Amino acid sequence: MASGGQTRIGDHVVDPLSPVRGVIGGGLPAFAARPLAAAAPPGLAVVCRTHHPARLRAVERLTMEEDIPHLMRPLAHDVVPWEGREARLIVYPQPPGPALLPRGEKRAPLREGDLIQNVVRPVGLVLLALADLGIPHRGIRPDNLFRPPAGGPAMLGEAFALPAGFAQPAVVEPAPSALCLPAGRGEGTIADDLYALGVTLVALATGQWPMAGLDDAAATRAKLERGSLIAVLGEHRLPGGLVTLVRSLLAEDPDHRPGPGELAGWPGSARARSISARPIRKATRPLAIGPAQPRDTRSLAAALGTHWSEGIAAARTGAIAVWTERALGDGQLAARLREATEDEASAADPLVLDTMLCRTIALIDPRAPLFWRGAALMPEALGPVLAEAALGPGPHALDVGALEELVDSLAIARWAAACGDRHADPVALERKARQYRLIRRSTAMGAGTERLLYQLNPALPCLSPLLGQRHVSTLPALLRGLEAAAASLPAGTLPFDRHIAAFISVQVDGRLDSELAAVGEAASPADAAVAAIAVYAALQRMHRGEAMPALGRVLGDLAAPAARSWREKARRERAVAELSRVAAAGDLAALHALLADPAARQQDERGFAAAAAAAAQARRAIEAVAAGRARRAAEAARIGGRIAQGAGLVVLALALLAVAGG
C-alpha cells in the first residue's frame, strides 16, 4: 500500500527518501521504516533482489514468531510498488547502535569478560532459538553485530534477505563453504554459525579482522593448507579461557563444535570441547595442477575443482592416484581413485569426464563442496545458483547450460555417494537428484528448467515477459497481473508461456500438470487457447478470483474457432452468438463451458456420430435401391435384346420361305 511516495508494510511506513547505510550486508539498499503502532519498534526496510532470492521460508517463519531477543528478526514483508517497478521489501527493527567492527577498520580489542557476557551468551541464545525453528542464521560476522554506544548485549543483524551465506566473506566461513560461489553456500547448519562466531571472537578480541589484506581465495587457501585455527589466529594471542572456546568453534569437524546451549550458559557448568587439531598430512612433494602446487588432500581437491581442465587431465592419466600413493603414502585412497576412474578415464564424452572429476574430488576430500567446471556449490544451493545464472547481470562462473548438464548427469547423486554422510543423507540426495533430472528433461508445459527454477526458489516471482515489470509471487497476483497485461498484448498472443506454466505447477504442487501439458500439446492455436482457459478457470475458481474481462476477451478471440466447431447447428450458433458476451463477463469457467464443456462435447460428438451413422445407413439404402434399378434395367435390356433377336430371325425365316415358294 503506497501513499504520498511512502509505502506501508505491516505496522511500518517505509520512506524511500530516507536511506539507511552501513547496516545491511550484500549491497542491498535499506530505508527508514516509521512505526504506525505504539508497540512497533523503529525499523528499516530492505529491498530484495530478484536474481538473489531472499530466504522466504525463513522470513515467513520468523515473522510469525514472538520476538527473539538479540536478533534483528523480520517483522513483516510484502511485494510493493518501488521505483517504477515492484519489489519485495522486508522490515526489520533498527539495530541498537553501530556495528562492533566494520570490515577494514581497527577498534580497541574487547576484554574476555565483555565478549563472554555481551557477545557469546546473546549469540548463543539466538542460535538456540533458531535451532529450535530449524533455521541457521548464516550471517554472523564482526560487522553484523550491533550494540548501544554505552555497551550492553550485542544484537545479531540481518541475514535473510539474500541467499544463505551470500554476504559472508570467506574468512568467516568454514573452508568448504568459503570455496563455494557466494550464492552457492546453501542453508548450512548451526555448526556453520558457530564457526563464524569463532572467527568473529578472534576479530573482536584483537580489534581487527583476521587475515586482513588477503582476498577470499588466499584466505581460503590458507585455511586449507594450515588449518582454520592457525590461519585465523595468525600471530595473535588470545586469553587462555577464550582460546579454548575459539579452538572448539573453529574445529574442522562440525561435530566437534560446542552447541548453542553451551554458549548461552558459558562458562557455567558447560565447557568447550578440548579438541587437539590433527596435523594436516603433507606429501613429500607437491602435485602440479595448473598453477597450484598442493601438498595435502584438501588443497588438492580445491585445486582440481578450481583448475578443471588440468584436473581432468590429471585424473585421466592416473597422476592423482600415483601421487596419492607415492608422495602422500595413502594406498587405500589411491586404490579407490583408480577404481573410480578406470571405466571413465578413456571416455570421449566431456560430460562423463566432468562427472568423473566431480566424484574424484569428493573421494579425495569428502568435506569439500560439489565442484563442477571450475566452480563449487552445495547441492542445496542449486536453486539460488540457477536463479543467479538465469537472471543476474554479467558473466557467471556457471551458466544455465552448465547447470542443466550438472542435473542431467546425476552429478549430485554421484558426489553424495562418494562423500558418504559427511554432508547429508546420500540416499535422500540421490532421490532428489533423480527427481531434478526427471523434471529438467521433461518438455511438457509446467516442467523443464523453468519448473526447477521456481521449485528451488520459493521467493522467485514469475518471470514471464508477458507480465512486464510486475512482481508476481502468488497465484492471485498472477491472475491480477495477467488481467492488467492482457489489454496491451499484441494481437494473436496467447497469454500463456513456459514460465507461467512452471510457476503455476509449483504453486499448486503439480495438481494441474495434465491441464498445463494440454496447452503445449494442443494441435492448433484455438485448442491451446481453450486449454489455457481451462487452467485459468481452475485458478479463478480455486482462489475465488475477481472477474477477468480483459483476459477473457483475449482468450475468447483466440478460441473463436472452437465456438464454430460444435457439430450441432443450434449449439454452434448459440456459442458463436454468446462468445463475446461471456468472454467480456470475465467468468473463465463459463467461457470454458461455452467452448469445451466435456459433457456437452461428448453429447455433441455422440449426436454427430449417430447422425453420421443414420446418414450412412440412408446412403447405403439409396445406393442399394439404385443398384437394384440398374440390375432390373440391365435384365430388361438383355431380355428385350433376345426378343428382338428372335423376332428378327422369324422375319428372316418367313422371307426365305417366301422366296423359296415363289
Side-chain angles (χ1 to χ4, degrees):
M1 183 186 302
S3 176
Q6 297 185 338
T7 301
R8 178 171 180 173
I9 300 177
D11 292 331
H12 291 78
V13 172
V14 183
D15 185 357
L17 300 180
S18 300
V20 177
R21 307 189 189 281
V23 176
I24 303 301
L28 293 180
F31 298 85
R34 176 172 52 85
L36 296 176
L44 56 85
V46 180
V47 183
C48 299
R49 289 198 287 259
T50 301
H51 59 283
H52 292 140
R55 299 166 63 188
L56 187 59
R57 291 192 179 102
V59 170
E60 290 179 339
R61 182 69 185 272
L62 288 169
T63 55
M64 295 187 296
E65 291 294 318
E66 297 295 329
D67 185 44
I68 298 177
H70 316 303
L71 173 68
M72 281 179 65
R73 178 181 65 89
L75 303 175
H77 68 102
D78 202 356
V79 174
V80 296
W82 192 263
E83 297 181 346
R85 59 186 178 94
E86 291 183 337
R88 182 180 300 279
L89 271 66
I90 305 174
V91 175
Y92 292 90
Q94 285 184 0
L100 287 180
L101 183 57
R103 194 172 187 187
E105 295 188 14
K106 291 185 178 182
R107 297 280 175 88
L110 299 184
R111 295 179 179 273
E112 180 180 355
D114 191 11
L115 284 173
I116 298 301
Q117 180 68 29
N118 294 313
V119 176
V120 173
R121 290 178 184 171
V123 171
L125 289 171
V126 171
L127 295 182
L128 196 59
L130 292 177
D132 288 341
L133 298 174
I135 302 171
H137 186 270
R138 302 295 280 113
I140 298 177
R141 57 185 184 273
D143 63 352
N144 203 28
L145 282 165
F146 308 89
R147 71 170 177 174
M155 173 178 280
L156 194 49
E158 189 282 326
F160 308 102
L162 286 165
F166 183 90
Q168 295 287 83
V171 65
V172 297
E173 287 286 287
S177 178
L179 285 165
C180 293
L181 298 166
R185 290 170 174 162
E187 284 291 302
T189 67
I190 295 292
D192 297 313
D193 291 326
L194 297 169
Y195 182 99
L197 177 60
V199 179
T200 300
L201 292 177
V202 173
L204 299 177
T206 61
Q208 60 184 335
W209 280 65
M211 292 189 275
L214 297 183
D215 61 20
D216 282 358
T220 304
R221 188 164 57 249
K223 291 184 180 184
L224 292 171
E225 294 175 353
R226 302 165 60 194
S228 292
L229 182 64
I230 296 174
V232 171
L233 277 178
E235 300 299 323
H236 296 288
R237 295 293 179 264
L238 300 180
L242 193 60
V243 75
T244 302
L245 175 58
V246 168
R247 181 184 294 114
S248 321
L249 292 170
L250 296 183
E252 306 295 349
D253 188 340
D255 293 337
H256 292 165
R257 297 168 197 159
E262 295 177 75
L263 299 181
W266 186 265
S269 59
R271 295 293 176 188
R273 298 163 178 81
S274 181
I275 302 298
S276 297
R278 181 179 299 175
I280 297 173
R281 188 176 185 177
K282 297 291 184 178
T284 56
R285 57 179 173 80
L287 175 63
I289 305 294
Q293 299 285 324
R295 297 176 67 97
D296 60 86
T297 52
R298 298 207 313 166
S299 300
L300 173 61
L304 292 170
T306 304
H307 308 290
W308 197 254
S309 298
E310 295 88 343
I312 288 178
R316 296 188 77 175
T317 61
I320 300 174
V322 171
W323 177 86
T324 302
E325 184 172 36
R326 296 180 182 177
L328 194 62
D330 193 337
Q332 291 184 346
L333 176 57
R336 291 198 300 271
L337 292 174
R338 290 191 179 97
E339 182 181 359
T341 59
E342 62 183 357
D343 293 333
E344 299 173 341
S346 59
D349 185 350
L351 195 57
V352 173
L353 297 175
D354 290 333
T355 308
M356 175 193 69
L357 183 57
C358 174
R359 190 170 67 255
T360 297
I361 294 171
L363 289 171
I364 293 171
D365 181 9
R367 295 195 188 281
L370 187 157
F371 279 96
W372 189 255
R373 296 186 182 169
L377 69 152
M378 295 298 182
E380 66 203 67
L382 176 62
V385 173
L386 182 59
E388 184 181 58
L391 304 173
H396 296 278
L398 292 174
D399 59 22
V400 173
L403 292 170
E404 288 176 336
E405 290 186 320
L406 185 153
V407 171
D408 290 349
S409 68
L410 289 178
I412 293 175
R414 293 169 183 174
W415 171 85
C419 291
D421 59 356
R422 296 298 181 93
H423 287 277
D425 180 357
V427 176
L429 270 179
E430 180 178 4
R431 185 164 55 247
K432 283 186 178 181
R434 293 190 179 279
Q435 179 194 31
Y436 295 164
R437 184 171 72 167
L438 185 65
I439 293 172
R440 220 295 303 167
R441 286 185 167 181
S442 175
T443 59
M445 278 282 192
T449 302
E450 297 87 357
R451 169 75 173 265
L452 273 185
L453 193 59
Y454 296 110
Q455 182 169 312
L456 300 178
N457 292 290
L460 200 64
C462 182
L463 303 174
S464 170
L466 299 173
L467 294 167
Q469 295 295 313
R470 297 170 183 85
H471 189 108
V472 167
S473 56
T474 64
L475 288 177
L478 174 66
L479 295 178
R480 291 193 298 269
L482 287 167
E483 175 66 13
S488 60
L489 291 177
T493 300
L494 179 69
F496 198 96
D497 61 14
R498 292 191 66 85
H499 274 287
I500 289 175
F503 182 81
I504 292 172
S505 181
V506 171
Q507 291 287 317
V508 300
D509 198 22
R511 294 194 301 274
L512 294 177
D513 279 359
S514 58
E515 290 84 349
L516 294 168
V519 182
E521 295 168 357
S524 68
D527 289 343
V530 171
I533 293 170
V535 172
Y536 291 143
L539 297 182
Q540 189 182 40
R541 182 171 57 250
M542 192 182 303
H543 293 278
R544 300 179 181 178
E546 299 176 355
M548 293 187 288
L551 184 61
R553 281 191 288 268
V554 170
L555 290 169
D557 290 344
L558 292 170
R564 297 189 292 270
S565 67
W566 289 98
R567 306 288 192 173
E568 183 186 350
K569 181 180 179 182
R571 184 179 290 275
R572 181 170 63 251
E573 291 176 346
R574 184 169 65 254
V576 171
E578 294 183 1
L579 178 61
S580 297
R581 178 186 63 79
V582 175
D587 184 345
L588 300 185
L591 179 60
H592 186 258
L594 181 70
L595 296 170
D597 177 26
R601 280 288 181 184
Q602 289 180 1
Q603 182 180 358
D604 188 56
E605 291 298 329
R606 285 197 297 268
F608 176 76
Q617 185 177 4
R619 184 170 58 254
R620 288 193 297 271
I622 292 171
E623 290 173 351
V625 170
R629 287 177 179 174
R631 285 195 301 272
R632 288 193 295 273
E635 184 66 17
R638 184 180 62 78
I639 295 173
R642 290 180 178 179
I643 293 174
Q645 183 181 12
L649 293 173
V650 170
V651 172
L652 179 59
L654 292 175
L656 292 174
L657 290 174
V659 171

